[in-house]
Amino acid sequence: MFDFFGTLTPSTPTNVWDDHAARSAAPLGMPVRTWRAAPDASFPERATGSLGDLAATFRTLAHRIGADPSEKAIAAACSARMAAQRELFVLRADAISTLTELRVRGLRLGVLSDCTAELADTWSQLPLATLVDARVLSCEEGRRKPDPELFRLIASRLDTDPQNCLYIGDGGGDELTGASNCGMQAYMLRAADWADNDAHAREDNWAGPFLPSLTDVLSLLEPSPTVGDLA
């Protein structure tokens, strides 16, 4: 099973987040830094879905700042945000080939992501959707990594036990420790762009095993007499 952002997708550096914030701040008539700070501070709420859909979220965040944008402005800001987010849903160059080969080898695949409503709303449109057998998205479950229930849930949806799972992630949200504590074999994806990633609560001091690319996941599975039992 895989994390999504920074794992199946390339890393997102700070300047990209700044640019995306500027796009949605413009229709709201807000200073970019003020608006950028609001989503950042609210990530725990947004990632567990507690602020509602994107329009409700933006309305709440604007009110917290002391603004009262029109519905037209909210709609325009949401449109800008969705366009920016879709740019972040583009997968790494070796993601599709790696996932496809894993399926050929008979493994069940899952994605466990700390994410906001935009990913959930767009999921069915992603090429990834047809390649994985199960997903667990924090915004749909009302929990964030490293909550053990999320790791147990994704294992359950793959019809296996956590002890039979490999977990691959960049370390955001203390996910590697969370996976390990549930009995999974956790590996950090430390790709060439890892240092550029602007991620929440990343385990930069992870002392466990790591992989330099998604393609290297395949090397973990050969040869292995128990591959059929792994998810």
Side-chain angles (χ1 to χ4, degrees):
M1 59 190 62
F2 296 86
D3 170 47
F4 186 73
F5 293 106
T7 301
L8 292 174
T9 71
S11 293
T12 305
T14 298
N15 68 294
V16 172
W17 290 118
D18 289 341
D19 172 67
H20 288 186
R23 296 191 213 175
S24 54
L28 299 173
M30 294 185 184
V32 175
R33 288 189 178 182
T34 301
W35 181 241
R36 166 77 197 269
D40 282 357
S42 68
F43 181 75
E45 297 168 283
R46 294 185 297 112
T48 53
S50 63
L51 297 183
D53 63 16
L54 185 57
T57 296
F58 274 16
R59 197 174 297 113
T60 296
L61 297 183
H63 290 167
R64 288 179 181 178
I65 297 170
D68 187 20
S70 67
E71 289 304 305
K72 182 178 180 180
I74 290 288
C78 288
S79 179
R81 168 74 178 186
M82 285 302 301
Q85 285 285 288
R86 289 189 183 98
E87 295 174 10
L88 302 184
F89 299 159
V90 176
L91 302 180
R92 290 185 182 275
D94 58 347
I96 294 296
S97 60
T98 298
L99 296 177
T100 300
E101 178 61 23
L102 290 172
R103 290 187 67 87
V104 167
R105 297 188 189 191
L107 273 76
R108 299 182 297 279
L109 307 180
V111 170
L112 170 54
S113 177
D114 274 357
C115 65
T116 55
E118 298 92 315
L119 180 59
D121 292 344
T122 312
W123 182 268
S124 64
Q125 304 168 32
L126 302 179
L128 176 69
T130 60
L131 289 174
V132 300
D133 302 289
R135 78 180 196 197
V136 170
L137 306 181
S138 65
C139 63
E140 296 179 328
E141 306 302 331
R143 301 170 183 267
R144 293 172 58 207
K145 302 172 189 176
D147 190 318
E149 184 59 30
L150 293 176
F151 297 95
R152 288 193 287 262
L153 182 58
I154 188 65
S156 174
R157 290 182 180 176
L158 290 170
D159 194 28
T160 191
D161 296 321
Q163 292 77 10
N164 296 327
C165 297
L166 295 177
Y167 184 87
I168 313 298
D170 69 311
D174 294 324
E175 62 187 350
L176 302 174
T177 297
S180 296
N181 288 344
C182 285
M184 298 180 179
Q185 301 174 53
Y187 290 80
M188 172 180 276
L189 180 71
R190 193 156 184 161
D193 61 353
W194 181 84
D196 299 329
N197 203 28
D198 184 352
H200 290 269
R202 192 175 66 177
E203 297 178 277
D204 289 357
N205 295 323
W206 168 252
F210 69 91
L211 302 167
S213 74
L214 284 175
T215 303
D216 287 306
V217 174
L218 302 176
S219 68
L220 301 176
L221 307 170
E222 51 187 35
S224 173
T226 59
V227 164
D229 296 327
L230 289 172

